[in-house]
Amino acid sequence: MALIHKLLNGIYIFRKCQITGTASHLFWGPHFADYCSSSLQKPVAAPGKSDSSEKKTERNLQGHHQTGVSLDITSPEEKPEVSFDKAIRDEIKDHFRRLKDQFMIQWIGPEGRPLHEVLKEQAKVVWQFRGKEDLDKWIVTSDKVIGGRSEIFLKMGKNNQSALLYGNLNSEAPHDGESSRSGYCAMISRVPKGPFEMKKPYDWSQFNSLYLRVRGDGRPWMVNIKEDTDIIQKKDQLYSYFMFTRGGPYWQEVKIPFSKFFFSNQGRIRDVQFQLLLDKISSIGFTLADKVDGPFFLEIDFIGVFTDPAHREEFAYENSPYLNPRLFK
């Protein structure tokens, strides 16, 4: 395509200059165009100038023209060879080479990333908190939705380098005659959406552990993971595990293997356990419900996933054939 562009450029210059014998030098490009515009255009004499001045100017122009031709234009014996077939073949070969590189090297993996990068990746930050747009990916809720008195808030931490989750836990049951228990606060990630509001589940199948950097006040939190499902009966199903904060001013790194997460439905741990499907993760959440009334806080730097080569366990819980016979058929 570059040769064709140069050819068209040269034809345009040739038609503009109207010089005999310059058709063989079409590939001089902009340099040849500058020469034509500066050296080969005869200036128009101003009114009132004498004929001798015009002749002198013409002689000077011809002399400059001859000098320029001898410097910038090659002889007919040195004209370059033009082969359109070769140019087309080279262009096609170049496109096939790029296509091969795209399939062999830039093979698309999960989330549109190159597969060779995904396979080599051992850790990945999924959520981090560096601005208000990061907080918008989360929602907070408490027992106020059922008439309780607990409060929870979410804001940016110091220097906009973390998220601060804080509030007050109150386990007093609402006086509505229906609820007998209360006292919980939660932070839940929003379900990512794609075009036409389609859900985009997370694919963590190449990792085996959850990785967090947090700083708390010593309270235990429940970490909840939800699978992506469109079945109404499964909307209350969660996979959960505990996260114990140390308290004090120091950060701690929490690593929880996915094999440790146990299955629950409507807040109750089920006897029949199922393994978490890591390629269909919908959201993650943190729940505080330790029945200790009073203020609390949890500061989060980032939430990610990683591959722990020392962890070989696939599933931490056993299922009895008496509880779920179909698993052992």
Side-chain angles (χ1 to χ4, degrees):
M1 298 301 293
L3 290 175
I4 295 176
H5 173 72
K6 289 186 178 180
L7 177 62
L8 295 177
N9 189 24
I11 293 175
Y12 171 76
I13 297 169
F14 168 70
R15 290 179 178 177
K16 185 175 179 180
C17 295
Q18 296 293 330
I19 301 175
T20 306
T22 58
S24 61
H25 309 286
L26 300 177
F27 298 97
W28 285 94
H31 180 71
F32 184 65
D34 293 339
Y35 170 77
C36 292
S37 62
S38 62
S39 301
L40 300 182
Q41 293 181 0
K42 182 178 180 180
V44 179
K49 296 289 183 180
S50 62
D51 295 339
S52 60
S53 177
E54 292 181 358
K55 292 180 180 179
K56 182 179 179 181
T57 303
E58 185 175 357
R59 286 196 302 268
N60 293 336
L61 179 62
Q62 290 175 355
H64 178 68
H65 167 70
Q66 293 174 357
T67 304
V69 170
S70 63
L71 292 176
D72 294 340
I73 301 180
T74 59
S75 61
E77 291 77 8
E78 299 178 2
K79 64 180 180 180
E81 296 183 0
V82 180
S83 175
F84 290 101
D85 294 338
K86 183 178 183 302
I88 293 175
R89 286 196 303 268
D90 293 342
E91 190 74 16
I92 293 176
K93 289 180 180 179
D94 182 64
H95 282 287
F96 273 104
R97 179 184 59 79
R98 297 179 184 179
L99 186 63
K100 177 184 176 181
D101 293 340
Q102 180 177 356
F103 276 95
M104 299 301 294
I105 301 177
Q106 300 295 329
W107 186 265
I108 301 302
E111 301 179 1
R113 301 175 58 240
L115 185 60
H116 70 281
E117 293 183 6
V118 175
L119 295 177
K120 295 179 181 179
E121 191 176 46
Q122 293 186 352
K124 176 182 179 182
V125 175
V126 184
W127 294 277
Q128 64 178 353
F129 302 93
R130 300 296 183 266
K132 185 180 180 300
E133 62 278 3
D134 297 322
L135 297 183
D136 294 338
K137 300 176 183 179
W138 297 80
I139 58 175
V140 292
T141 183
S142 68
D143 53 32
K144 276 192 172 182
V145 297
I146 60 172
R149 300 183 179 182
S150 299
E151 294 181 326
I152 184 172
F153 307 95
L154 180 63
K155 70 176 184 178
M156 291 301 301
K158 187 177 181 180
N159 298 327
N160 291 335
Q161 295 297 313
S162 62
L164 181 59
L165 186 67
Y166 66 100
N168 187 77
L169 190 68
N170 192 326
S171 58
E172 182 181 354
H175 303 287
D176 56 1
E178 297 180 359
S179 303
S180 59
R181 293 183 300 175
S182 183
Y184 73 88
C185 294
M187 170 184 174
I188 307 171
S189 66
R190 297 182 184 272
V191 179
K193 298 293 183 67
F196 305 103
E197 294 299 315
M198 297 177 60
K199 292 186 293 184
K200 294 172 56 180
Y202 297 101
D203 186 359
W204 297 344
S205 56
Q206 69 270 26
F207 306 100
N208 61 12
S209 301
L210 187 69
Y211 186 22
L212 308 96
R213 188 171 186 262
V214 300
R215 180 165 57 183
D217 55 1
R219 288 176 177 257
W221 289 77
M222 185 75 75
V223 182
N224 305 309
I225 297 179
K226 191 172 184 179
E227 290 181 346
D228 178 42
T229 177
D230 294 324
I231 302 177
I232 299 178
Q233 291 82 353
K234 294 185 177 181
K235 66 182 183 64
D236 295 325
Q237 294 183 356
L238 293 173
Y239 292 84
S240 308
Y241 201 72
F242 305 100
M243 179 180 69
F244 299 95
T245 59
R246 300 173 185 170
Y250 301 107
W251 290 92
Q252 68 180 100
E253 295 183 356
V254 180
K255 301 176 182 179
I256 307 175
F258 290 124
S259 61
K260 301 291 186 182
F261 282 81
F262 52 84
F263 175 71
S264 64
N265 191 1
Q266 295 181 346
R268 297 182 179 180
I269 302 176
R270 296 301 177 180
D271 294 333
V272 180
Q273 290 295 307
F274 300 96
Q275 191 171 359
L276 177 63
L277 300 179
L278 295 175
D279 60 338
K280 295 182 178 180
I281 303 300
S282 174
S283 64
I284 187 174
F286 304 89
T287 302
L288 178 65
D290 59 356
K291 298 182 180 180
V292 178
D293 294 352
F296 66 87
F297 81 90
L298 178 67
E299 194 171 1
I300 306 174
D301 181 6
F302 66 84
I303 304 168
V305 290
F306 86 112
T307 300
D308 185 0
H311 184 76
R312 304 268 180 108
E313 183 181 57
E314 295 183 0
F315 193 48
Y317 309 101
E318 297 181 357
N319 283 308
S320 170
Y322 300 100
L323 296 175
N324 194 356
R326 71 171 181 267
L327 295 177
F328 299 90
K329 288 184 179 180

Short mmCIF file of all heavy atoms in Angstrom, two decimals, residues 4 38-40 42 57 126 128-130 145 149 164 167 180 187-188 301 328:
data_model
loop_
_atom_site.label_atom_id
_atom_site.label_comp_id
_atom_site.label_asym_id
_atom_site.label_seq_id
_atom_site.Cartn_x
_atom_site.Cartn_y
_atom_site.Cartn_z
N ILE A 4 1.90 2.05 -3.58
CA ILE A 4 0.78 2.61 -4.35
C ILE A 4 0.59 4.08 -4.00
O ILE A 4 0.34 4.94 -4.85
CB ILE A 4 -0.49 1.80 -4.09
CG1 ILE A 4 -0.31 0.37 -4.63
CG2 ILE A 4 -1.70 2.45 -4.76
CD1 ILE A 4 -1.46 -0.54 -4.32
N SER A 38 9.51 25.24 -6.27
CA SER A 38 10.45 26.33 -6.04
C SER A 38 11.26 26.68 -7.28
O SER A 38 11.62 27.84 -7.48
CB SER A 38 11.40 25.98 -4.89
OG SER A 38 12.14 24.83 -5.23
N SER A 39 11.58 25.68 -8.13
CA SER A 39 12.55 25.91 -9.21
C SER A 39 11.94 25.97 -10.59
O SER A 39 12.52 26.56 -11.49
CB SER A 39 13.63 24.82 -9.18
OG SER A 39 14.28 24.83 -7.94
N LEU A 40 10.79 25.29 -10.79
CA LEU A 40 10.27 25.15 -12.14
C LEU A 40 9.10 26.06 -12.43
O LEU A 40 8.57 26.03 -13.53
CB LEU A 40 9.86 23.69 -12.39
CG LEU A 40 11.00 22.68 -12.24
CD1 LEU A 40 10.49 21.28 -12.56
CD2 LEU A 40 12.16 23.04 -13.14
N LYS A 42 7.75 29.62 -13.24
CA LYS A 42 8.28 30.91 -13.71
C LYS A 42 7.57 32.03 -13.00
O LYS A 42 6.34 32.09 -13.02
CB LYS A 42 8.09 31.00 -15.23
CG LYS A 42 8.65 32.29 -15.82
CD LYS A 42 8.47 32.29 -17.32
CE LYS A 42 9.04 33.58 -17.92
NZ LYS A 42 8.87 33.61 -19.39
N THR A 57 16.07 37.68 -15.53
CA THR A 57 15.46 36.77 -14.56
C THR A 57 15.27 35.38 -15.16
O THR A 57 15.46 34.35 -14.51
CB THR A 57 14.10 37.33 -14.10
OG1 THR A 57 14.31 38.62 -13.55
CG2 THR A 57 13.47 36.42 -13.07
N VAL A 126 -8.40 -7.32 42.28
CA VAL A 126 -9.74 -7.19 41.70
C VAL A 126 -10.38 -5.87 42.11
O VAL A 126 -10.99 -5.18 41.29
CB VAL A 126 -10.62 -8.38 42.13
CG1 VAL A 126 -11.98 -8.30 41.44
CG2 VAL A 126 -9.94 -9.70 41.79
N GLN A 128 -9.53 -2.26 44.40
CA GLN A 128 -8.70 -1.41 45.23
C GLN A 128 -9.41 -0.08 45.39
O GLN A 128 -10.31 0.26 44.61
CB GLN A 128 -7.31 -1.24 44.63
CG GLN A 128 -7.27 -0.53 43.29
CD GLN A 128 -5.86 -0.35 42.79
OE1 GLN A 128 -4.91 -0.63 43.49
NE2 GLN A 128 -5.71 0.13 41.56
N PHE A 129 -8.98 0.69 46.37
CA PHE A 129 -9.72 1.90 46.73
C PHE A 129 -8.76 3.09 46.66
O PHE A 129 -7.95 3.30 47.55
CB PHE A 129 -10.32 1.74 48.12
CG PHE A 129 -11.24 0.56 48.24
CD1 PHE A 129 -10.76 -0.67 48.68
CD2 PHE A 129 -12.57 0.66 47.89
CE1 PHE A 129 -11.59 -1.77 48.78
CE2 PHE A 129 -13.41 -0.43 47.98
CZ PHE A 129 -12.93 -1.66 48.43
N ARG A 130 -8.90 3.84 45.56
CA ARG A 130 -8.06 5.01 45.35
C ARG A 130 -8.87 6.25 44.96
O ARG A 130 -8.31 7.28 44.63
CB ARG A 130 -7.03 4.73 44.25
CG ARG A 130 -6.08 3.58 44.54
CD ARG A 130 -5.21 3.86 45.75
NE ARG A 130 -4.25 2.79 46.01
CZ ARG A 130 -4.47 1.78 46.84
NH1 ARG A 130 -5.62 1.71 47.51
NH2 ARG A 130 -3.56 0.84 47.04
N VAL A 145 -33.07 -2.28 57.27
CA VAL A 145 -34.06 -2.68 56.26
C VAL A 145 -35.16 -3.53 56.86
O VAL A 145 -36.24 -3.67 56.26
CB VAL A 145 -33.36 -3.43 55.11
CG1 VAL A 145 -32.36 -2.52 54.40
CG2 VAL A 145 -32.67 -4.69 55.60
N ARG A 149 -31.54 -1.12 64.29
CA ARG A 149 -30.95 0.17 64.64
C ARG A 149 -29.46 0.26 64.33
O ARG A 149 -28.80 1.23 64.69
CB ARG A 149 -31.16 0.44 66.13
CG ARG A 149 -32.63 0.50 66.54
CD ARG A 149 -32.77 0.84 68.01
NE ARG A 149 -34.19 0.92 68.40
CZ ARG A 149 -34.61 1.24 69.64
NH1 ARG A 149 -33.72 1.49 70.60
NH2 ARG A 149 -35.90 1.30 69.91
N LEU A 164 -12.71 3.01 54.17
CA LEU A 164 -12.99 2.91 55.59
C LEU A 164 -14.46 2.56 55.78
O LEU A 164 -15.35 3.35 55.44
CB LEU A 164 -12.65 4.21 56.32
CG LEU A 164 -12.88 4.22 57.83
CD1 LEU A 164 -12.04 3.13 58.50
CD2 LEU A 164 -12.55 5.58 58.42
N GLY A 167 -19.19 2.19 61.59
CA GLY A 167 -20.58 2.36 62.00
C GLY A 167 -20.79 1.91 63.43
O GLY A 167 -19.85 1.86 64.24
N SER A 180 -37.24 -11.61 65.60
CA SER A 180 -36.74 -11.93 66.94
C SER A 180 -35.24 -11.71 67.06
O SER A 180 -34.71 -11.72 68.17
CB SER A 180 -37.05 -13.40 67.27
OG SER A 180 -36.45 -14.26 66.31
N MET A 187 -21.22 -5.06 53.72
CA MET A 187 -20.69 -4.34 52.55
C MET A 187 -20.62 -5.35 51.41
O MET A 187 -19.98 -6.40 51.53
CB MET A 187 -19.32 -3.76 52.87
CG MET A 187 -18.56 -3.20 51.69
SD MET A 187 -16.91 -2.64 52.21
CE MET A 187 -16.19 -2.21 50.63
N ILE A 188 -21.27 -5.04 50.27
CA ILE A 188 -21.41 -6.00 49.18
C ILE A 188 -20.99 -5.32 47.87
O ILE A 188 -21.35 -4.17 47.62
CB ILE A 188 -22.86 -6.50 49.06
CG1 ILE A 188 -23.35 -7.03 50.41
CG2 ILE A 188 -22.99 -7.57 47.99
CD1 ILE A 188 -24.83 -7.34 50.44
N ASP A 301 -7.43 -2.02 52.04
CA ASP A 301 -6.53 -1.49 51.04
C ASP A 301 -6.88 -2.04 49.66
O ASP A 301 -7.13 -1.30 48.71
CB ASP A 301 -5.09 -1.83 51.40
CG ASP A 301 -4.09 -1.27 50.40
OD1 ASP A 301 -4.49 -0.53 49.50
OD2 ASP A 301 -2.89 -1.56 50.52
N PHE A 328 -22.71 -39.84 44.95
CA PHE A 328 -21.88 -41.04 45.00
C PHE A 328 -22.41 -42.11 44.07
O PHE A 328 -22.10 -43.28 44.23
CB PHE A 328 -21.85 -41.56 46.45
CG PHE A 328 -21.25 -40.59 47.43
CD1 PHE A 328 -22.06 -39.68 48.08
CD2 PHE A 328 -19.89 -40.56 47.66
CE1 PHE A 328 -21.51 -38.76 48.98
CE2 PHE A 328 -19.35 -39.65 48.55
CZ PHE A 328 -20.16 -38.76 49.21
#
